[in-house]
């Protein structure tokens, strides 16, 4: 994505394998946690969200897990495809201000054919 | 195609120039946002507009001046920028500010020389 130049952590996986992308957060007052994907030359794209009162949510080929005890969020992608290659950002939406999104620094996912 | 269009895609400007970035959405969304994405920082929220009214200014220097003439259009007027303002400027929209799903444009790559 356009975030090239950042020293992003990189995850390389083989096509067809499952991917797990992790994110640590610090704000306990967040109401929602969200995953976005940014492909090269494009803006971020919404993948899935999870409300803070949930532990797990599933979408199409994706699962988000929320562990509030250790303030950890993960995105699991099943049967990773080359089209999944992108930078993945976690984001928080605080309870006290719905105007705000706080984005993490991102993880680059490389899918090897 | 996300439904959010930004122009221009690329812009080079001198520090004494005045230029404007344009964003347009015809998704019927009521909230619009400006973000800055630079090589060294996570995605930063700059401004939020809700029903054409500015609801958030995230301590952005006055050399950046937003304008929202209607719910479909958002501008970012640039004046006397610094080289460190070089970045990708992303516009986004959402149905409401409380929504977790925002639709991003492809961004304007700005270089200040």
């Amino acid at each position: 994505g356009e975030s090239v130049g950042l020293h992003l952590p990189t995850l390389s996986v083989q096509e067809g394998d499952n991917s797990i992308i992790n994110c640590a957060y610090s704000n306990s007052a967040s109401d929602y946690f969200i995953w976005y994907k940014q492909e090269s030359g494009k803006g971020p794209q919404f993948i899935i969200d999870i409300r803070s009162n949930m532990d797990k949510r599933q979408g199409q080929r994706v699962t988000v897990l929320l562990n509030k005890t250790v303030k950890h969020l993960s995105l699991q992608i099943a049967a990773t495809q080359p089209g999944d290659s992108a930078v993945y950002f976690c984001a928080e939406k605080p309870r006290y201000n719905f105007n705000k999104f706080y984005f993490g620094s991102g993880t680059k996912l490389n899918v090897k054919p | 195609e996300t439904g959010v269009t930004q122009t221009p895609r690329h812009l080079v400007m001198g520090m004494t120039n005045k230029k404007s970035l344009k964003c347009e959405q015809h998704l019927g969304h009521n909230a619009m946002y400006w973000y800055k994405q630079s090589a060294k920082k996570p995605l930063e929220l700059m401004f939020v507009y809700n029903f054409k009214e500015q609801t958030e200014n995230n301590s952005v220097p006055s050399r950046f001046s937003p304008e929202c003439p209607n719910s479909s259009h958002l501008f970012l007027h640039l004046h006397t920028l610094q080289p460190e303002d070089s970045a990708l400027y992303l516009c986004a929209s959402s149905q409401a500010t409380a929504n977790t799903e925002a639709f991003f444009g492809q961004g304007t790559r700005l270089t200040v020389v």
Side-chain angles (χ1 to χ4, degrees), chain B residues 36-99:
Chain B
K36 176 182 179 182
Q37 188 173 38
S38 54
K40 298 180 180 177
K41 295 183 181 180
L43 205 60
E44 297 174 76
L45 179 66
M46 299 175 71
F47 301 103
V48 180
Y49 277 82
N50 195 29
F51 291 95
K52 302 187 298 179
E53 299 298 319
Q54 187 181 123
T55 55
E56 195 77 30
N57 176 339
N58 202 25
S59 303
V60 181
S62 59
R63 58 185 183 270
F64 296 90
S65 175
E67 179 190 1
C68 189
N70 54 62
S71 291
S72 299
H73 293 87
L74 186 64
F75 295 89
L76 188 62
H77 304 299
L78 314 172
H79 175 49
T80 324
L81 295 193
Q82 304 298 312
E84 58 265 30
D85 296 321
S86 298
L88 181 71
Y89 289 86
L90 289 158
C91 172
S93 71
S94 62
Q95 184 61 51
T97 54
N99 284 60

Side-chain angles (χ1 to χ4, degrees), chain A residues 2-7 32 34 36 38 41-46 49 89 93 97-101 103-105, chain B residues 9 33 35 37 39-43 45 48 55-56 58 88 90 97-102 104-106 109:
Chain A
E2 289 292 353
S3 55
V4 291
L6 275 170
H7 294 291
Y32 279 94
I34 312 116
Y36 276 83
Q38 188 172 21
K42 297 184 178 180
Q45 179 186 2
F46 174 89
D49 64 8
F89 297 95
K93 209 157 179 49
N97 187 343
F98 269 170
N99 281 324
K100 299 258 192 192
F101 273 100
F103 280 84
S105 54
Chain B
R9 291 292 309 279
Y33 311 81
Y35 282 88
Q37 188 173 38
K40 298 180 180 177
K41 295 183 181 180
L43 205 60
L45 179 66
V48 180
T55 55
E56 195 77 30
N58 202 25
L88 181 71
L90 289 158
T97 54
N99 284 60
T100 56
E101 183 172 7
F104 283 81
Q106 290 182 294
R109 170 62 67 185

